[in-house]
Amino acid sequence: MALHRALVGTEAVHQSSFYQSSDPGAVGAGKDWWDTTASPPTLKRRDAANTAWLTVSTPAGGATGAAGGVLAGTYPNPSFAADMATQAELDAVAAAKANLASPTFTGTPTAPTAAGGTNTTQIATTAFVQAAVSGATGVLFSIPIQLGNGVDVILTTEPENVFWLDQGNYNITGWTISSDATGSIVVRIDRATYADFPTWTEIMASDRPTLSSARKNQLTLGAAISTTTKSAFRATVVSAATVKAVSVTLAAVRV
């Protein structure tokens, strides 16, 4: 290999290899140039069009720059791309587990909702929900009543069904009745306040829950029945035929 410090003109074109710090220029396709500006020197070769230098190797120091193909990362210490992808997934899983163990929240939590009329997107405590549900107006709910054992035909001597209900202020607006088989039944519904118990007052004498050769029936009362205090309810059978199990549901709404 010839060593040249300064090559110019036709003398440069006829050399097969150059070892210098300055670019020898268009010395001919396939010519080699050891670029001494790099440490260690880099071997370059003139391309077929004699327009640019191609890097052939970087001996003694190893390659530099981004790796490609099945490799990833950068020289001189590339890694297999598949290994790096697997490691990235493992890192993501580890980060997710760490966040679950010690979650990070951003922003400032809002204060618990304080009033029943508040409908903003605030945090609601259990106590607030319970208070809001029990005191909210317009909330619909049902009062279920069961008669019969499902085995014996219901008679007028059926034991009375008595239960207590404390739901604040509400109106009874109607009823739905159904049975295990096609038949007939008339049910009387009485009510008594805690102070008046056991003195009963019928609350829907003209609109008693009734089945007449049917399995279901329902009625919306013309006038809602107002209830404002803790009350006991009693269901008794006025008349019945064929049926063995009857369900009466009173519809109510808080006021």
Side-chain angles (χ1 to χ4, degrees):
M1 179 178 64
L3 176 62
H4 297 271
R5 297 299 180 185
L7 301 175
V8 294
T10 58
E11 185 179 24
V13 176
H14 293 294
Q15 306 301 319
S16 60
S17 181
F18 309 94
Y19 192 88
Q20 61 186 67
S21 60
S22 59
D23 186 343
V27 295
K31 298 294 185 178
D32 292 339
W33 168 40
W34 284 94
D35 183 3
T36 60
T37 60
S39 180
T42 302
L43 177 61
K44 297 183 178 180
R45 181 164 295 156
R46 199 68 177 174
D47 64 7
N50 195 24
T51 58
W53 290 101
L54 304 175
T55 299
V56 177
S57 65
T58 307
T64 60
V70 298
L71 299 179
T74 58
Y75 291 103
N77 297 306
S79 302
F80 284 105
D83 292 342
M84 294 189 69
T86 301
Q87 186 59 48
E89 293 178 357
L90 294 175
D91 291 343
V93 171
K97 290 177 64 177
N99 189 54
L100 287 175
S102 301
T104 300
F105 299 97
T106 59
T108 303
T110 57
T113 302
T118 301
N119 61 358
T120 58
T121 54
Q122 293 179 315
I123 300 172
T125 63
T126 301
F128 166 76
V129 173
Q130 292 174 341
V133 171
S134 63
T137 61
V139 175
L140 303 176
F141 66 98
S142 299
I143 305 172
I145 303 170
Q146 294 296 130
L147 296 169
N149 58 20
V151 176
D152 304 313
V153 173
I154 295 176
L155 303 174
T156 55
T157 55
E158 181 76 17
E160 62 183 22
N161 185 330
V162 177
F163 59 94
W164 289 90
L165 188 66
D166 187 2
Q167 289 288 343
N169 299 336
Y170 60 94
N171 290 336
I172 297 174
T173 60
W175 50 258
T176 300
I177 185 172
S178 62
S179 65
D180 62 317
T182 299
S184 300
I185 190 171
V186 176
V187 180
R188 170 176 171 157
I189 306 296
D190 296 323
R191 183 183 63 187
T193 65
Y194 183 81
D196 293 339
F197 185 85
T199 300
W200 299 97
T201 300
E202 186 173 5
I203 59 174
M204 49 184 74
S206 60
D207 293 314
R208 292 171 172 172
T210 301
L211 283 178
S212 181
S213 299
R215 287 198 60 183
K216 62 182 180 180
N217 192 16
Q218 63 182 173
L219 176 71
T220 298
L221 299 176
I225 300 169
S226 176
T227 302
T228 60
T229 186
K230 184 175 183 178
S231 299
F233 288 86
R234 179 180 69 174
T236 56
V237 178
V238 177
S239 62
T242 308
V243 294
K244 300 177 181 179
V246 171
S247 173
V248 179
T249 300
L250 305 182
V253 59
R254 290 192 179 91
V255 294

